Amino acid sequence: MAFPLAVVLLALIGSAVCRPQLAPTTCVDNGQCKQIDPTQLNVHLVPHTHDDVGWLKTVDQYFYGTRNGDQRAGVQYIIDSVVEQLLKNETRKFIYVETAFFWKWWQLQTPEHQERVKKLVNDGQLEFINGGWCMNDEAAAHYQSIVDQMTWGHRRLQDTFGECGIPRIGWQIDPFGHSREQASLFAQMAFDAVFFYRIDYEDHNIRVKEKRMELLWQGTDDLGKASDIFTHIMEMGYGPPPGFSWETARDNPSDDAIIDDPESEDYNVDKIVDKFITYAKQYSNYYATNNVLFPMGTDFCYEDANAWFKNMDKLIKYVNAKKVNGSNVNVFYSTPTCYLNGIHQANHTFTTKSDDFFPYASYYHSYWTGYFTSRPALKRYEKVGNNALQVCKQLDVLSLGNGKNEDKITPLREWLGVMQHHDAIAGTEKQHVSDNYALKLYKTIEKCQSVVDESLNILIGDKNLNQLFCNQLNVSACAVTEGTDNIAVTLYNAFGHNINRVVRLPVTSKAYKVFDPKGNAVKSDIVAIPESVLSLKERKSKAKDELVFEAQVPALGFSTYLLKANSVQKSINEAKITKISDAFTIKSKSLNIRFDKTGALNSIELKNGKVVDFKQNFEFYKAKDNNDDFHQPSGAYVFRSDGDSPQLYNTTTLQADLVETSDVKEVRQKVSEYVSQVIRILPNNDMIEFDFVVGPIPVDDKIGKEIISRWETNLTTNGLFYTDANGRQLLERKRDFRPTWKLTVYEEIAGNYYPVNSRIAIRDEKQDIQMTVLNDRSQGGSSIKDGSVELMVHRRDLYDDHFGVAEALNEPGVDGKGLQIRGKFWVLFTSIAEAAEAHREMAYDILLEPSLTFAKISGSVEEYVKSHKTQYSGLTKELPKNVHLLTLEQWKGSSYLIRLEHFYQQKESQSLFSSQTPIRIVSNRKELS
Ligand SMILES: [Zn+2]
């Protein structure tokens, strides 16, 4: 059987979402937009609804329209009503954005009604815009997940409506700041434009004044014009002009209906038409062409679409009627695609921009930089979900699932899509919605794990094995390893490169022997689990120790290690724990890391002999309350510190132990009652790992707190630092500076925070040193002082920040007393030239850390190794260093979706940027070539 697939190595950074070029089409192309009159001011009325896939209510509560006391919103009724009104009048148009909701609605319709809707799409009356599973957040979403969620939404649309259903426009009207990588991805998806609203108020005011609310955004330096995208910024928000909202189902009262009975004492046509024309002319002052776009609708509008359309029909009729008297305002139902046609016709040259739209400030003291960190546990869980999804999809392909696992994989695909929403991964939803996101993620991961179980067993060659999962390894608990004598631990590596990984398994017995895939004994250590982890409130485990060993796992494959209970106690390498009272040094592969006598980091000697000051502290900013003139507290969206200096935990009371095995050296620090960490250094590696526990953050003093980890060096950094965009491009940041306008910063800390999805770095150009910090979830970060880097790890705030969620960000945790989190950082010191190679590889090691499964086995190690496949790779050899397998999944029928990406940027590694190598991917029986 031949696989209908050609694997092509793209010499570009990344590949586009699967979307064919539009061929000549039978659908009505809104891009032609015949209503445009180049001699007139064209007012494009774009009827729309903004339907969050969870925010104040859960996805289902929004869809079905329950819990209306919290927010009047029922998406099923909205779509019902809109479709009915479109069918009544063929001039009416509507755009729909969130495929998660649309798909839910679509499946409930009769075949006859579906046919009617297909006609609306073919006729261009109903146009899909954006069309991802959700309107994704641009700060905290990783590009792998953005690509996945856009792909899945588009696939549903394409499968249902054919080419007429494929969106051509990005519509990111609500996300709280805009990422350059998102612009690049949209351009690569062959989108023609992106529309949004939320940019910094200073930037906004200048652009309005200079008629620069539209621009050409250059998405990346690496792809040239292929990543440029036309960008429209909405001046008045994403709602209609004041006085023109007919949301009778929700707003009480809605704006006045148009009364066109001339006999009526309340006849108001002239008044409303004049108001509209005045507004249109005023609005056109902000834009450079003779086209303006009025978004007609806002959050969850059109439950009674009749009221909207009936009044807009009249508005169009009476405004256009004025043309005979010399009015130059031409108004009509439109879509962003149609609007774009007006822009093309105007033939205007727009200014360009190559930085991003972060951070977003809506006013002097309202920097939306808190959400970069809000709900840190959910942000981490989303990353776990992405890992589970990639592993599940890959193993389904490698075991030749051929579509039989579709119904177990798709729920996770779709829920991961929901998780990218700008109130999900952003952490700006209500607590009960956040709980529902996590619960659904858990359930959908579990479904996909059954595919992992079955697929692994096929590849291992033993269908009787039962692969079990330890979903609580994040708190060092695992029901399988605790109390089982013989276990086969299989590590699956979703990354296209071979990896070495230190495995840490919680155990109740100290007497285990570990064997590699060939059956040879490997060295293992027993290390006591830190007290801070043992006392985590969520943890229900008897294990006091971890069994630690190093494993090698081939690219896109697995290795099975065997654990056998060992009665001979004396062969155990148990870690030695000593109280720290003197300064000391730990050697990694090529660095000497020095600690002071309290056990705190002090300095680091690099491989070239240079010594750099290197300190790390946990600190906290006091969160601003609601009591000053600006009434802008810190909350789910906004970070606002009370003062510009964080409070340092008392370092003189630092309690620290040194924990040593023959390999691993750890410094365990208790920083305060609720902050502790392990600093881990390996002999064959130069990364320094920080494994921390923070929380519950005390608020008995009635002060909210924003906890940060700060690394300080004496590197000369001149206000510059670097943060990633959605885990991909690395962007230069400068303190108190924006590249495109002269900034006035009213919040010196919050105004310098940027999203850090995977890494933040500083450089000393003169000494040729780069320090890069990688994280395990999205966070906010900055370099507030030269030579330093900080990341916000946890937040607990006591006030709502007045942007709609109407709750303080005060996560209760498992016992209602406050959320505890556990997380990791990794710090690298390299030369500037070597940095990219180290952090790019490392970031994927983190994102795609091996998935562990456990099978209880019987019999001897020799027997198991002889009768099972214990090591496997889906590649004939590992991928070249610069190539990443972004997607491997069963597509339609017997086809597969494979995306290979080049993951270096041109400037950071000339050699790795340009090299090309042929690649072949194999499944266990068939070769894809
Ligand atoms: Zn929204």
Side-chain angles (χ1 to χ4, degrees), residues 144 189 243 285 310 322 324 413 483 588 609 706 733 765 796 822:
Q144 182 169 43
M189 291 171 204
N285 290 330
K310 195 165 242 180
K322 290 263 181 184
V324 292
R413 264 186 186 126
S588 68
E706 324 269 0
R733 310 293 189 184
E765 301 276 351
R796 190 173 188 187
R822 187 181 185 190

Side-chain angles (χ1 to χ4, degrees), residues 16 40 56 71 103 125 239 247 302 307 321 364 389 409 432 473 544 548 580 602 621 665 743 803:
Q40 305 263 308
L56 308 183
Q71 187 182 13
W103 184 248
Q125 276 190 266
E247 185 53 30
Y302 287 78
Y364 299 153
L389 177 63
I409 299 171
H432 82 93
L473 283 174
K544 296 266 193 311
V548 181
I580 292 167
N602 181 270
Y621 292 104
K665 291 198 170 41
L743 175 75
F803 288 105

Side-chain angles (χ1 to χ4, degrees), residues 4-5 17-20 147-156 158-159 393 396-397 402-404 406 409-410 413 887-899:
L5 182 85
V17 165
C18 175
R19 179 182 182 280
V147 168
D148 273 0
Q149 78 92 11
M150 290 300 294
T151 305
W152 194 247
H154 285 202
R155 172 170 162 183
R156 288 294 200 207
Q158 190 174 10
D159 285 355
K393 290 193 297 191
D396 169 53
V397 170
N402 259 330
K404 75 172 192 299
E406 191 68 28
I409 299 171
T410 294
R413 264 186 186 126
T887 310
L888 174 60
E889 64 184 273
Q890 180 90 33
W891 201 234
K892 296 174 207 172
S894 57
S895 67
Y896 295 86
L897 178 62
I898 299 181
R899 289 194 190 91

Side-chain angles (χ1 to χ4, degrees), residues 50-52 55 135 174-176 238 299 421-423:
H50 175 67
D51 297 346
D52 295 302
W55 179 40
M135 182 185 296
D174 198 23
F176 329 126
Y238 56 84
D299 298 5
H421 165 55
H422 58 270
D423 292 304

